[in-house]
Amino acid sequence: MPADAAEAPEITAERVALWRAMHLQVDPPPHVLADEIGLQLLAPHDGWRSRPDMDPQATSTFRAAIVARARFIEDLVAGQVDQGVAQYVILGAGLDTFAQRRPELIARLQVFEVDQPGPQAWKRRRLLELGYGIPDGLHLVPVDFEASENWWDQLRAAGFDPHRPAVVVSTGVSHYLTEAATTATLRQIAGLAPGSTFAMTFLLPSELLDDADRPGLRTSEEGAKSSGTPFISFYTPAEMTALARAAGLTETRHVAGASLADRYFSGRTDGLRPSSGEDLLLATL
């Protein structure tokens, strides 16, 4: 991997980016999402596909779940842009490559990627090294969460207009946070301008998973713990909806992960389907 390892992306962001590339490399068409830019940014050694967490068969359902949620979010954003929304905020952006892959949307949007300073500086450097640059509509917003910096204040300083509608998303983050931290974020979201949309993923308790997916969840939990980023929070759909409404988000909708399987994977002949275990909360203001 190029660049300073101290500033490199977290292992979870790296894994997501590589799974997105694996979808193109090992799964037959039609592809739910086409994204190898994260792989280009990481430039891993030649044997990366031999890693245990990249095994094409063992990780197929997780890979499918990752591309399904990414596609769902991008479809959501595109729909909001068509309705005139011109601000898109990605909390915990990691190696998100929306701005590089969707120039037709970035031309109509101001995109704000919120992430830790070190990994974000690494990403900025790699984008420049690879010739992608930083387009005018992309704002990289470094926020030191460990130092308790307020992401909302940093977002506004980067040019975000709180008086205009926005799409704000947080995927693959809530299970690393305490309930108190998630509640604080939801309360902040409740202050967005009318016409805004919020989407957040959350992990389900193991008893709500399909039997076939429970061993995979245990493996993921063990891996996250060993890498220093343990899973902290799990929610039932009712618990997450109640949390959102208590924070002031009254117009909410639960989107089951199974519905993404039906939407993006129906009719496939290879049997590829996303794992159960991650659902979404949608809120409109």
Side-chain angles (χ1 to χ4, degrees):
M1 180 185 299
D4 186 354
E7 289 188 345
E10 293 183 355
I11 186 63
T12 51
E14 174 188 321
R15 186 177 295 122
V16 165
L18 295 180
W19 276 346
R20 286 162 70 138
M22 284 279 284
H23 177 54
L24 278 181
Q25 297 187 4
V26 305
D27 297 326
H31 294 120
V32 176
L33 187 82
D35 181 14
E36 290 185 299
I37 295 178
L39 173 62
Q40 295 172 26
L41 293 173
L42 289 164
H45 60 75
D46 291 342
W48 69 272
R49 283 175 49 168
S50 299
R51 287 169 31 172
D53 61 347
M54 291 295 124
D55 182 277
Q57 294 301 318
T59 66
S60 64
T61 60
F62 300 111
R63 182 171 69 246
I66 289 297
V67 296
R69 83 180 186 196
R71 173 66 181 274
F72 177 82
I73 292 297
E74 293 199 10
D75 288 351
L76 173 69
V77 173
Q80 291 300 300
V81 171
D82 286 343
Q83 295 182 37
V85 175
Q87 298 185 112
Y88 175 29
V89 179
I90 309 171
L91 300 178
L95 291 168
D96 190 276
T97 58
F98 173 88
Q100 289 73 48
R101 293 179 297 101
R102 302 299 300 270
E104 80 284 4
L105 292 179
I106 193 77
R108 303 161 63 189
L109 273 173
Q110 296 296 307
V111 178
F112 300 85
E113 294 190 9
V114 179
D115 208 352
Q116 292 276 13
Q120 192 168 86
W122 181 97
K123 183 178 181 181
R124 177 188 291 274
R125 183 163 60 248
R126 289 296 291 147
L127 287 171
L128 295 173
E129 288 172 354
L130 292 174
Y132 286 106
I134 309 296
D136 291 340
L138 175 60
H139 309 270
L140 301 180
V141 186
V143 178
D144 190 343
F145 297 102
E146 295 178 1
S148 299
E149 285 188 352
N150 189 307
W151 65 268
W152 183 255
D153 291 342
Q154 300 296 95
L155 190 60
R156 294 182 65 174
F160 178 79
D161 186 347
H163 305 295
R164 298 173 61 202
V167 182
V168 181
V169 304
S170 174
T171 59
V173 175
S174 69
H175 50 282
Y176 297 113
L177 305 177
T178 64
E179 181 177 316
T182 294
T183 297
T185 296
L186 291 171
R187 286 176 179 156
Q188 195 74 68
I189 295 299
L192 289 170
S196 296
T197 303
F198 175 62
M200 180 179 71
T201 61
F202 60 95
L203 289 188
L204 301 173
S206 61
E207 61 268 20
L208 296 186
L209 272 63
D210 295 341
D211 290 343
D213 292 330
R214 288 175 186 164
L217 174 63
R218 287 195 295 270
T219 300
S220 296
E221 284 191 87
E222 292 166 1
K225 185 176 181 179
S226 65
S227 64
T229 54
F231 295 175
I232 296 174
S233 301
F234 300 82
Y235 303 92
T236 67
E239 289 170 342
M240 178 52 72
T241 298
L243 204 66
R245 290 179 177 167
L249 294 166
T250 56
E251 298 294 327
T252 64
R253 179 163 66 94
H254 164 238
V255 179
S259 69
L260 304 188
D262 295 338
R263 180 180 301 193
Y264 299 120
F265 292 85
S266 62
R268 294 187 68 97
T269 59
D270 60 352
L272 182 65
R273 300 277 288 184
S275 60
S276 61
E278 184 178 67
D279 286 3
L280 291 106
L281 170 79
L282 280 187
T284 55
L285 293 99

